[in-house]
Amino acid sequence: MSGANYREALHCFEQANHQQGITLAEAKLKQIEGSACLERDDRAGATKAFETSIALLLEIHNTEEAVGICQKMGWLKHAAELWLQQKKYGKAAKFFDDARLCIRAADCYNDAQMYSEAAAALWKGKEFDQLVRYLIDNRYTIPEAVLQLYGFRCKIPLKQNKLSPTHRKEVISLLGSPQEREELLWQYEIHDVLEDLFEQQRRFDDLFRLKLRRGNLEGALHLLTSKLVAERVDTTGDQVDCLIDYTMTSRMMHQAKRNKSITLKLLQDLIATNLGRHRRVQDWKPALDYLGHDIRSAAVRQLGDIKNESIRMMVALQLLDADTIGNEKSLDLLLSDRLRDALMAVRDILLQNDGRPLQFALAICGGVGTANVIGIMLT
């Protein structure tokens, strides 16, 4: 109809006091006005006229025609929101999707139970974290085929490192066989999830080795104190000996900053557990009697009760002070020739005032118990 026809219709509706007809005719006239503005490139005038027409159409609940105006003007978000107000979620979702508002589109698709479309919207918008979260939260609602399809697709952003650490864990739970998931956990070093997996599957030997690999020495040692775990992990090899040595030495290195009873609590705890009879724990027991004493005292002088040479050397290093490392006669009290030679090399380097070999010197002595001594000698 032309503008003249709508004006005539408006007059008739006014005569009949037909309010809905009046509103519709006014909305049509505003649309004609808006189109005329577009023809003469008056965008502002067109916007004002069409907005007025939309408002009039909504007064009479004519959402379909109001949305049509939005489409004509490219107001896709506005069109989506008009359908959303009417709880027409599927229709709203399509407009949000076209407007590239992917998260809002996915929400509407989900409310319309259009699960595949929801996942597709998030994938298209490269909202990978949100896609994983959507799949996990709705894994019992989404059809299995959709879940598998987008779970598999998420391997791409996973390999491209486009997923946050939290969501990397979650997407792996959607992928393939248990063996494939475990391989991915190893590949992306998601060790905390692997630890949980091994514990759930009671694979304590794998759990023990993983803790070692991560450098969680005390955690690995604590694991062995469980009778159930110790029965399934080989505790007779050199690996457990080294674990006990490294863990105890680490505690000893912090002796100066901590109370002795706290520092040695680990060994006391081990003695009280099923590892208490382990050969290496027994080797360490005499060390309790020496720590905290002066190397020059008669009680300590020979460290004779410590039969294991490595442990004796580590304890001796812990007992050293600046006077001892500077006095060759004091060093003669130590039974280990290797230890004596190493400390003499450190002293010679320091006396030459050459700071460059300092790291080398620390490496010779293993860094145990010497840091404070070197600090004193350099001042």
Side-chain angles (χ1 to χ4, degrees), residues 149-283:
L149 172 63
Y150 285 98
F152 182 79
R153 283 187 175 183
C154 281
K155 289 179 73 173
I156 297 173
L158 178 65
K159 291 181 178 180
Q160 294 175 343
N161 200 28
K162 292 181 179 179
L163 286 171
S164 65
T166 299
H167 292 96
R168 283 202 299 269
K169 302 176 189 178
E170 293 174 330
V171 76
I172 288 174
S173 70
L174 300 172
L175 298 175
S177 66
Q179 182 179 351
E180 288 174 318
R181 292 196 290 270
E182 184 175 326
E183 288 173 356
L184 285 169
L185 289 171
W186 278 114
Q187 181 179 348
Y188 295 103
E189 299 184 344
I190 306 177
H191 293 147
D192 53 341
V193 177
L194 268 173
E195 286 196 7
D196 292 341
L197 176 66
F198 292 156
E199 189 166 2
Q200 291 167 8
Q201 297 178 348
R202 304 174 80 81
R203 293 164 56 186
F204 296 119
D205 189 62
D206 289 331
L207 179 59
F208 171 70
R209 296 179 189 285
L210 178 56
K211 286 184 179 293
L212 289 181
R213 176 173 174 167
R214 299 183 70 185
N216 184 6
L217 302 185
E218 292 202 21
L221 200 56
H222 177 74
L223 187 67
L224 294 182
T225 63
S226 163
K227 183 177 180 180
L228 176 63
V229 174
E231 290 174 351
R232 302 189 184 198
V233 178
D234 181 12
T235 60
T236 61
D238 293 340
Q239 190 175 48
V240 175
D241 288 357
C242 291
L243 173 62
I244 293 171
D245 285 349
Y246 276 117
T247 308
M248 285 304 305
T249 303
S250 176
R251 287 289 185 100
M252 288 171 56
M253 288 176 66
H254 297 86
Q255 175 83 21
K257 296 181 180 180
R258 299 183 182 180
N259 181 279
K260 176 184 176 182
S261 64
I262 297 174
T263 307
L264 298 180
K265 187 176 186 302
L266 173 64
L267 181 58
Q268 294 165 339
D269 288 346
L270 288 176
I271 292 171
T273 68
N274 58 292
L275 278 181
R277 295 184 180 180
H278 191 281
R279 181 189 70 254
R280 202 55 156 194
V281 173
Q282 293 296 316
D283 288 343

Side-chain angles (χ1 to χ4, degrees), residues 66-101:
V67 167
I69 297 173
C70 291
Q71 280 184 280
K72 181 176 182 177
M73 294 295 291
W75 301 336
L76 302 179
K77 179 182 176 183
H78 193 183
E81 288 171 340
L82 292 178
W83 282 129
L84 187 58
Q85 290 170 9
Q86 302 298 317
K87 297 185 178 180
K88 302 291 184 180
Y89 299 115
K91 292 182 176 181
K94 291 176 182 178
F95 280 104
F96 281 131
D97 209 348
D98 290 342
R100 300 184 180 276
L101 298 171

Side-chain angles (χ1 to χ4, degrees), residues 23 43 68 77 85 117 123 201 285 316 320 322 326 333 336 366:
T23 302
R43 189 75 185 181
K77 179 182 176 183
Q85 290 170 9
E117 289 82 354
W123 176 260
Q201 297 178 348
K285 284 178 67 175
L320 290 175
L333 297 175
S336 171

